[in-house]
Amino acid sequence: SSRLLLLGKKTNSIKVQRSEIANLMRDEKNESARIKVEQVMRDEYYIEAMELVVLFCDLVSSRLLLLGKKTNSIKVQRSEIANLMRDEKNESARIKVEQVMRDEYYIEAMELVVLFCDLVSSRLLLLNESRSCPPDLKESLSTIVWACPRTDGVSELIAIRKQIMLKYGQQWIE
């Protein structure tokens, strides 16, 4: 994708920096070389982290789109509710209705999480350039962080949350 191509430019920059480090070492400018090495290491770590965010956002989108199965089960449950009401089992029907409503709310919420993951993935460069959270991504990132413990075992969201914490700090997560 275009996001990863732009990260590729940063990778090319790292290659140039490595040759500069070799020149500094050859000229015995060890302190300058050490500083440059630290910068390259930070850049390499950052590239890996951003590639992971893109990958995990795409995986979250794919996994949560499988919620269509849950939508099909809601249709079946609705017909069961109709049968229960026809048989005058109102209490059982009420309980089933509550479950269907919870499932529908969950599906709607997960669709929003997918949209926010897509937005974060597409705005990766903006995240790259800013030290603090960009205002237009604050809602998206906050929603992803909030949804993380409330999803049923979506480990990719946990990984995205971890990367957000590494980028902006533990206090941003809390």
Side-chain angles (χ1 to χ4, degrees):
S1 79
S2 62
R3 302 177 297 268
L4 295 178
L5 290 176
L6 293 170
L7 285 175
K9 290 181 180 179
K10 193 159 186 106
T11 304
N12 290 336
S13 164
I14 289 173
K15 291 177 184 175
V16 170
Q17 289 176 342
R18 284 183 177 163
S19 66
E20 290 173 4
I21 292 169
N23 291 337
L24 289 170
M25 298 284 286
R26 188 183 61 238
D27 296 339
E28 297 183 12
K29 296 180 180 175
N30 294 334
E31 185 61 27
S32 298
R34 185 188 61 76
I35 292 169
K36 200 61 121 164
V37 165
E38 289 174 358
Q39 178 63 41
V40 168
M41 289 174 64
R42 278 192 301 272
D43 288 349
E44 287 176 338
Y45 174 77
Y46 178 76
I47 288 170
E48 289 176 16
M50 291 301 105
E51 287 174 346
L52 283 175
V53 168
V54 170
L55 174 68
F56 288 138
C57 283
D58 292 343
L59 288 173
V60 165
S61 297
S62 299
R63 182 183 286 208
L64 294 180
L65 289 176
L66 294 174
L67 290 174
K69 292 179 182 177
K70 202 164 201 162
T71 304
N72 291 336
S73 80
I74 288 174
K75 292 176 184 175
V76 171
Q77 288 177 352
R78 284 184 178 163
S79 66
E80 290 174 4
I81 291 169
N83 292 337
L84 288 170
M85 291 181 73
R86 187 186 63 231
D87 297 340
E88 296 182 11
K89 296 180 180 176
N90 293 333
E91 189 60 31
S92 296
R94 186 184 63 78
I95 293 169
K96 278 250 191 235
V97 166
E98 290 172 357
Q99 180 62 42
V100 167
M101 289 174 61
R102 275 194 300 275
D103 288 347
E104 286 177 338
Y105 289 144
Y106 181 79
I107 290 169
E108 287 177 28
M110 291 304 103
E111 288 172 350
L112 283 175
V113 170
V114 168
L115 288 174
F116 286 138
C117 283
D118 289 343
L119 178 64
V120 167
S121 181
S122 66
R123 299 277 178 90
L124 185 65
L125 292 177
L126 181 60
L127 287 172
N128 177 19
E129 295 169 356
S130 61
R131 293 208 183 268
S132 62
C133 182
D136 61 332
L137 289 177
K138 197 168 273 193
E139 179 184 10
S140 300
L141 293 174
S142 297
T143 301
I144 291 169
V145 167
W146 179 84
C148 182
R150 291 163 179 82
T151 56
D152 298 330
V154 181
S155 59
E156 293 85 359
L157 277 179
I158 295 168
I160 293 170
R161 182 177 188 264
K162 181 179 177 184
Q163 292 302 322
I164 292 170
M165 183 188 71
L166 291 173
K167 173 84 173 159
Y168 299 119
Q170 178 69 32
Q171 70 279 4
W172 202 90
I173 297 294
E174 297 167 355

